[in-house]
Amino acid sequence: MSEEPSSSMCWWWPRICDMGVPQPKTIMVPMDMGKHGQEGLYAHVEPEADSKDWIAPHLPQLRHAARILGWPVFMRSDATSGKHEWDRTCRVESETDIVPHLLALFEFHLCCDIMGLPLHAVFFREWIAGEPSFTAFRGTPIRPEIRIMVTGDTVDEWFPYWPLEAFQGEEADRTEQVKDLDAFVAEHANTELMEIACAAARRASAADATYWSVDFLWASDQWWLIDMARGEQSWRPSNKPPGRKQAT
């Protein structure tokens, strides 16, 4: 992939994996699409194509990586996890789930952009245990998460990751549950966390790419650094004016 700073996990994860802060154990499996190229992502939606042709060369390494981390394991591409359909994408319970979950994840790739999201690698990550605050969508566990927007050494703003509008269309009314998540995040958003976000952004930054989102998940009584992206490509509340909070 390009050496330009990007939201791809292939860019930011190698730069932050040794920070010494809580992060899930992670193994990267590069995906060389070879003759299939990006069109390989379309193989499984073409009736005349063998959907597994482009996965087969990588299967030994994919299986080995998952076995090392143990079951269940969290699986994502360098671009996305498709976590809103977690039971068929990112949560892998056994070796036999790897191929069908990869196909479902890559189908999600195709839905994210008119040309489909580019694919460079598959990442297997330690499943972070913990009771969810509630479940939504297809049983996706919802737990406290925070997104911190950073420019250089400055925290521009932070906010809970799960807004109420994310659950529109759900049969259950999530208003009170989201309020509880928001209160928890506000109570546990501390200076140390802001400093970690700034440190991660510094490591991922290059040239004019200094604006980043840094996401944390609360589990086992601590914050886990789980995701990053270029700030201009990251969701933030549309009705929330940017605030500025200086990291100290």
Side-chain angles (χ1 to χ4, degrees):
M1 66 173 294
S2 168
E3 282 303 307
E4 291 298 313
S6 76
S7 295
S8 167
M9 195 169 173
C10 294
W11 171 267
W12 57 261
W13 177 73
R15 290 165 170 78
I16 70 161
C17 62
D18 62 348
M19 282 184 63
V21 300
Q23 299 181 59
K25 297 174 185 174
T26 301
I27 299 175
M28 180 175 72
V29 180
M31 296 290 283
D32 179 4
M33 302 302 290
K35 65 178 181 180
H36 299 288
Q38 185 66 10
E39 292 180 359
L41 287 178
Y42 292 86
H44 65 287
V45 296
E46 297 295 337
E48 70 276 10
D50 184 341
S51 64
K52 300 181 182 64
D53 270 356
W54 57 275
I55 296 178
H58 305 285
L59 265 179
Q61 194 175 2
L62 292 167
R63 289 169 175 159
H64 180 65
R67 287 193 204 111
I68 289 174
L69 294 174
W71 313 105
V73 67
F74 186 90
M75 181 179 71
R76 58 162 293 170
S77 72
D78 62 297
T80 185
S81 66
K83 63 185 175 184
H84 289 72
E85 296 186 326
W86 81 303
D87 60 329
R88 62 188 293 266
T89 53
C90 59
R91 183 177 170 94
V92 178
E93 298 274 1
S94 68
E95 194 170 299
T96 57
D97 285 342
I98 292 176
V99 170
H101 282 232
L102 270 178
L103 294 178
L105 178 58
F106 298 152
E107 181 179 355
F108 184 72
H109 262 245
L110 302 182
C111 298
C112 289
D113 189 80
I114 190 170
M115 296 299 293
L117 293 175
L119 168 69
H120 302 106
V122 170
F123 289 81
F124 289 95
R125 314 198 80 183
E126 168 192 8
W127 189 269
I128 302 175
E131 286 297 316
S133 300
F134 59 96
T135 60
F137 317 119
R138 297 171 59 101
T140 302
I142 306 300
R143 294 187 275 183
E145 295 184 47
I146 185 172
R147 171 163 290 178
I148 303 174
M149 308 299 296
V150 178
T151 302
D153 285 324
T154 301
V155 172
D156 297 308
E157 58 181 329
W158 57 263
F159 42 84
Y161 180 85
W162 293 108
L164 182 59
E165 55 265 32
F167 305 102
Q168 289 179 353
E170 290 269 295
E171 290 186 9
D173 181 0
R174 304 296 186 184
T175 302
E176 293 305 315
Q177 291 165 313
V178 170
K179 284 182 180 178
D180 289 343
L181 282 179
D182 290 353
F184 185 95
V185 169
E187 181 181 352
H188 290 82
N190 54 45
T191 301
E192 180 183 6
L193 187 66
M194 304 299 158
E195 291 173 345
I196 292 171
C198 288
R202 284 196 301 271
R203 286 178 172 231
S205 294
D208 59 348
T210 61
Y211 182 40
W212 291 86
S213 65
V214 189
D215 295 348
F216 296 84
L217 166 73
W218 181 270
S220 302
D221 296 322
Q222 62 183 348
W223 288 111
W224 298 70
L225 199 168
I226 59 169
D227 206 358
M228 292 185 66
R230 293 283 297 270
E232 57 269 27
Q233 298 169 348
S234 301
W235 175 89
R236 53 177 299 276
S238 57
N239 62 347
K240 183 178 187 299
R244 301 197 70 85
K245 182 183 290 288
Q246 189 72 31
T248 56

